[in-house]
Amino acid sequence: KAGVTQTPRYLIKTRGQQVTLSCSPISGHRSVSWYQQTPGQGLQFLFEYFSETQRNKGNFPGRFSGRQFSNSRSEMNVSTLELGDSALYLCASSLGGSGGKETQYFGPGTRLLVL
Amino acid sequence: DAKTTQPPSMDCAEGRAANLPCNHSTISGNEYVYWYRQIHSQGPQYIIHGLKNNETNEMASLIITEDRKSSTLILPHATLRDTAVYYCIVRSHGSGNTGKLIFGQGTTLQVKP
């Protein structure tokens, strides 16, 4: 079974621009979660989508948004980029049910550099 | 979700067992212990998880104390490729905690030849 895939793998943007990152979950997985990893803050949870609905949300400003499509693929968008948004953005998928179906599997990440 | 405490770094000789401790003294009855590792600049890799019984899979063993306040991840025969940051995470299953893992700083394991 193919793992979680993320595109693009690397991205360079300038301040003020917006960016869209894509995540394709493992086949059959319905939950997709997004995380941001920076050297200063570590790995932080952004949000989770399940069946096209945002089910959980971390503590990030409204510039960070996401969506999920009917095939469970997910995108996250960051508008009005700031230098501090430079980070590794990770996507994780899980079956999304309960009773042991919640183990998350991570993709390789998208490394975003904001200049 | 309960907070975890891990040593910031550990060394292990190649071929020996690596024992990584984790304290989670405030864990509640419905919270699971998860272990992930992250090799430099890659996405975290799931290793193992458990509730109260010891667990073993092809990668590692997880030993949880009877009072569940601490656990140990055991890599039985560490190799250089096991050099990574290891994260111990406690989380509950069910509504309100779906899809959210809270990562601490983890333990950097250095396997030496």
Side-chain angles (χ1 to χ4, degrees):
Chain A
K1 219 182 226 188
V4 178
T5 58
Q6 293 187 243
T7 56
R9 293 293 312 279
Y10 303 93
L11 206 47
I12 299 175
K13 292 285 188 179
T14 55
R15 277 181 301 174
Q17 287 187 310
Q18 67 96 26
V19 67
T20 299
L21 311 181
S22 180
C23 172
S24 292
I26 292 170
S27 177
H29 284 194
R30 296 169 62 195
S31 167
V32 173
S33 296
W34 288 89
Y35 294 82
Q36 181 196 64
Q37 184 172 28
T38 60
Q41 299 297 319
L43 266 156
Q44 293 185 287
F45 171 76
L46 279 156
F47 31 65
E48 184 223 3
Y49 286 86
F50 179 79
S51 291
E52 302 178 63
T53 301
Q54 188 180 89
R55 190 160 71 166
N56 209 341
K57 188 176 188 302
N59 224 13
F60 279 81
R63 299 186 297 108
F64 292 82
S65 63
R67 60 177 175 168
Q68 187 180 35
F69 302 95
S70 58
N71 62 357
S72 295
R73 190 178 70 84
S74 176
E75 289 180 347
M76 69 162 281
N77 184 275
V78 187
S79 63
T80 320
L81 284 165
E82 302 176 359
L83 295 179
D85 297 332
S86 295
L88 180 66
Y89 289 88
L90 292 155
C91 158
S93 77
S94 73
L95 286 166
S98 60
K101 297 180 182 178
E102 303 183 4
T103 300
Q104 292 182 38
Y105 298 90
F106 284 80
T110 293
R111 187 163 295 281
L112 172 65
L113 177 62
V114 182
L115 301 176
Chain B
D1 292 328
K3 184 179 173 179
T4 62
T5 304
Q6 299 178 252
S9 64
M10 293 182 63
D11 289 343
C12 177
E14 189 177 19
R16 305 296 294 268
N19 296 284
L20 292 97
C22 179
N23 280 318
H24 30 80
S25 58
T26 60
I27 193 170
S28 60
N30 66 342
E31 288 181 317
Y32 289 73
V33 180
Y34 277 77
W35 284 84
Y36 283 81
R37 72 180 182 184
Q38 187 174 26
I39 296 168
H40 184 62
S41 292
Q42 298 181 20
Q45 178 187 24
Y46 166 76
I47 301 173
I48 199 168
H49 76 281
L51 183 61
K52 49 186 167 183
N53 298 321
N54 298 338
E55 302 287 344
T56 295
N57 62 20
E58 63 279 2
M59 287 183 68
S61 294
L62 173 60
I63 309 297
I64 303 174
T65 58
E66 196 166 335
D67 63 7
R68 303 210 321 122
K69 292 185 177 182
S70 66
S71 60
T72 301
L73 178 75
I74 301 172
L75 308 177
H77 305 287
T79 70
L80 298 178
R81 288 178 296 177
D82 292 321
T83 293
V85 179
Y86 288 76
Y87 296 98
C88 168
I89 299 165
V90 171
R91 62 171 295 205
S92 57
H93 288 177
S95 62
N97 291 293
T98 55
K100 179 179 182 179
L101 296 174
I102 299 175
F103 287 83
Q105 296 306 308
T107 296
T108 299
L109 175 68
Q110 181 74 47
V111 180
K112 300 187 173 181

